[in-house]
Amino acid sequence: MAFTNSGFPEIRAIFLAQFHPDQGPIVRMSVPEDAVDVGENAYTDTGATNRSSELRDTGAMGGIVSSNNNFAHEPEVVELIKRTTARGGPSLVDSSKIDFNSIQTLIIPKLTLFERLITVNTGRFKVMCYPVAIEGNYARNMFIFNMCFAFDISADTKCYGPVVKRVGSLLKELEVTGRLLSDVAGTRALLTMMRQLVNKLNDHGEYQIELDLKGLSQPMASTGISIKLFPYYENPATIEAFHVPVKLVDFDVARRKSAQTVYQQHASNDIMWDLVLDKVAEGIDNVNHVRRIARQALIPEPTVVLALQHLDYYGCIALVDIFQFSNVYEAQARVKDVMRNGWLQRECHAYVTRDGQAGTVSLERLIQLYATVRQRRTVAEWIVDNCIDVERFDVRRFIVFGVLHGMLRRVHCFPVLCASVESAKKEPSRRGSNSGSGSGDEEPLKLEPRVVAMLDGTHHLDEICVAENKDAAVMRGLLDSYGGIEYVHL
């Protein structure tokens, strides 16, 4: 039984490619045995000849494969797409196999791509590999190999990145210490490892084996290898002071479950999280923005941001904008999802209606309301247009639910100060100081320099309001009084 139910893609094949000093790139072994189609010209490709001369001219590769890794500034992951056939030409390759001829120049790549994760799409397969080159007493003074993992073309292989890299690094170490790959005596142990890699990772998501290294120039008769798959989490999003964290889980339940995991027993109520997480969690009410949470908890804002990033990383919160009745939203194409998904309809109805009151708003009315949200109309105007009873219908939750599920998008307001107006603001002050005539003209409103610096079109009104600790209506009044401000809605 494959381990796909836990979110890990199934390995379709593993094959070991090497650079033969005379034949060029070859497939030494594969699991299953017929998983790779090497074709008739697998050992005489012109690309192999060109790379042979390249390696011969380069010599010892100039330290590219040394442990210091002189190319550390280059990206570690390289994604490439390779066509299996020439444009318009007939396909002569079995589509159920991996066409090695079409990707051999990427499996044994340019020198700058050694010890980098490479993903190649070919036919129905996605091949993930980590090419390695070792300097030493070999033909051409180096040994080049690549252990490749093949998956379905549509598989999400991010969780296999560390595994592929670890396997390549382990094989490099075993080759350096015991000639596991270059010595024919290591073929049996290598093939056993490949078979168990496929079976164990697909069935259990982890792999542990003792390799029998007898007969090799290895200081010990056996060595253990342990590999485990872990879920892949995206890096936490950048959290700004104007973001509003919204709970996605019950923090009280999560706190007790985490304590039970640590102590393996029923957790009492006095077991708590980290002190910062506890204080930050108390301030998360789906309304407060990050800066307000930091001020209420008396914790430095950078520390609060780190705590929220931790919660966001594990899917405990989501980030939305500050809700105000002056906000503008627009409906997205995903509104149709609520028309088809019964579960989403029930969740939306229970979340939006006050205290989950039945019969307050019908599902048909709820779908219709999402479709009526459009640009150029504020939330307050939208409420009046649709005659919404705010006593029984939670507008804030309605908007937040739509944003979280991609049905609504916030249209931000970006104030921009015209350059001609800014220069004109400075000119009267210079003339007034020179004339000294007490004409009694009213002095124009002045804004703080930091506010003027934010009126360049890259900072929206929410960001400016939070930075200045002012309400949106008050800040907009100040900007209108200052004059020369254009508002761009994006």
Side-chain angles (χ1 to χ4, degrees):
M1 181 181 66
F3 199 55
T4 53
N5 291 334
S6 296
F8 299 115
E10 184 177 358
I11 302 174
R12 294 302 182 184
I14 291 182
F15 63 94
L16 176 64
Q18 289 184 199
F19 186 87
H20 193 277
D22 299 323
Q23 299 172 341
I26 64 171
V27 176
R28 179 175 169 184
M29 60 184 71
S30 66
V31 176
E33 294 183 4
D34 59 347
V36 183
D37 186 353
V38 295
E40 297 179 357
N41 300 322
Y43 307 141
T44 59
D45 184 68
T46 55
T49 306
N50 294 337
R51 281 188 303 283
S52 299
S53 60
E54 179 186 358
L55 295 175
R56 185 164 51 248
D57 296 339
T58 309
M61 296 179 62
I64 290 178
V65 296
S66 64
S67 58
N68 293 332
N69 202 345
N70 297 333
F71 287 83
H73 62 281
E74 296 185 356
E76 186 175 277
V77 179
V78 180
E79 294 191 3
L80 303 164
I81 298 178
K82 187 71 176 177
R83 296 185 182 273
T84 55
T85 60
R87 184 177 300 177
S91 175
L92 302 178
V93 180
D94 187 351
S95 60
S96 63
K97 298 182 180 181
I98 303 168
D99 182 14
F100 182 70
N101 281 341
S102 67
I103 60 173
Q104 62 175 327
T105 57
L106 306 175
I107 299 300
I108 306 296
K110 296 287 186 179
L111 303 182
T112 54
L113 294 181
F114 281 108
E115 299 194 18
R116 302 283 188 272
L117 284 175
I118 299 177
T119 302
V120 185
N121 292 343
T122 174
R124 294 165 41 191
F125 298 96
K126 178 183 292 185
V127 180
M128 200 172 190
C129 57
Y130 186 77
V132 176
I134 304 173
E135 300 178 31
N137 187 21
Y138 302 101
R140 303 185 189 277
N141 297 323
M142 67 185 65
F143 180 76
I144 300 174
F145 70 92
N146 195 350
M147 183 68 79
C148 306
F149 291 66
F151 307 89
D152 289 332
I153 188 69
S154 59
D156 184 2
T157 58
K158 293 178 182 177
C159 60
Y160 268 94
V163 171
V164 175
K165 185 175 179 180
R166 176 169 170 77
V167 170
S169 301
L170 285 172
L171 291 177
K172 178 182 177 180
E173 184 66 24
L174 291 173
E175 171 62 25
V176 170
T177 58
R179 299 277 179 164
L180 175 65
L181 283 79
S182 58
D183 194 331
V184 179
T187 302
R188 183 176 179 179
L190 198 58
L191 190 58
T192 300
M193 184 194 76
M194 293 172 61
R195 287 173 178 166
Q196 294 204 15
L197 265 176
V198 175
N199 296 332
K200 296 295 185 181
L201 291 181
N202 283 342
D203 293 343
H204 307 291
E206 59 184 27
Y207 166 79
Q208 187 171 3
I209 187 177
E210 289 287 331
L211 279 180
D212 184 7
L213 302 177
K214 294 179 180 178
L216 298 174
S217 55
Q218 183 81 10
M220 41 191 170
S222 63
T223 184
I225 296 178
S226 299
I227 295 174
K228 184 176 177 63
L229 282 172
F230 293 95
Y232 177 84
Y233 294 101
E234 296 286 349
N235 290 331
T238 302
I239 298 179
E240 303 290 351
F242 53 84
H243 281 146
V244 176
V246 176
K247 296 179 182 178
L248 299 181
V249 298
D250 188 334
F251 285 168
D252 292 334
V253 174
R255 184 184 293 109
R256 277 193 290 271
K257 284 190 175 181
S258 62
Q260 290 174 6
T261 302
V262 173
Y263 295 102
Q264 298 299 320
Q265 60 185 5
H266 180 71
S268 59
N269 292 329
D270 59 345
I271 295 180
M272 304 179 68
W273 276 351
D274 174 83
L275 293 178
V276 173
L277 278 178
D278 261 331
K279 295 293 290 184
V280 171
E282 291 176 3
I284 299 177
D285 59 356
N286 303 343
V287 176
N288 290 337
H289 53 73
V290 173
R291 181 155 295 174
R292 183 178 297 169
I293 292 174
R295 289 173 177 171
Q296 291 179 352
L298 301 178
I299 299 175
E301 187 174 313
T303 306
V304 173
V305 169
L306 289 176
L308 292 175
Q309 284 182 328
H310 183 81
L311 294 174
D312 180 45
Y313 184 78
Y314 289 104
C316 297
I317 62 171
L319 302 173
V320 297
D321 54 88
I322 301 173
F323 175 79
Q324 300 175 93
F325 288 98
S326 59
N327 289 358
V328 178
Y329 296 87
E330 67 174 355
Q332 300 294 291
R334 294 192 64 180
V335 169
K336 61 186 179 183
D337 292 347
V338 76
M339 303 178 186
R340 307 171 183 172
N341 192 326
W343 173 86
L344 191 62
Q345 293 174 5
R346 293 188 295 271
E347 287 292 314
C348 182
H349 189 268
Y351 186 75
V352 169
T353 54
R354 298 274 186 187
D355 301 323
Q357 298 176 4
T360 54
V361 181
S362 65
L363 291 175
E364 293 78 6
R365 176 62 172 164
L366 208 58
I367 298 172
Q368 181 186 7
L369 288 175
Y370 274 118
T372 59
V373 178
R374 61 185 184 274
Q375 284 198 39
R376 303 301 180 186
R377 304 295 290 174
T378 65
V379 174
E381 295 170 339
W382 173 81
I383 292 175
V384 174
D385 293 343
N386 293 276
C387 302
I388 295 176
D389 184 3
V390 295
E391 295 295 330
R392 307 172 69 185
F393 184 88
D394 195 325
V395 177
R396 182 190 63 81
R397 287 191 166 205
F398 174 85
I399 296 295
V400 169
F401 189 90
V403 171
L404 289 178
H405 290 83
M407 296 184 290
L408 298 179
R409 183 185 72 88
R410 171 72 186 279
V411 180
H412 282 286
C413 175
F414 293 83
V416 182
L417 176 63
C418 300
S420 57
V421 175
E422 185 178 5
S423 59
K425 290 282 184 182
K426 299 177 182 178
E427 188 63 27
S429 61
R430 288 196 293 265
R431 289 201 304 265
S433 60
N434 293 335
S435 61
S437 59
S439 58
D441 292 340
E442 191 173 324
E443 187 175 353
L445 176 68
K446 293 183 179 179
L447 291 177
E448 294 292 337
R450 63 176 179 272
V451 177
V452 176
M454 299 178 75
L455 303 178
D456 58 355
T458 61
H459 305 274
H460 51 72
L461 196 58
D462 283 1
E463 182 178 356
I464 298 174
C465 290
V466 172
E468 294 301 308
N469 196 25
K470 286 183 171 59
D471 183 76
V474 174
M475 178 55 67
R476 187 143 187 171
L478 291 175
L479 296 178
D480 291 340
S481 300
Y482 187 74
I485 305 294
E486 296 289 341
Y487 296 99
V488 180
H489 293 81
L490 296 174

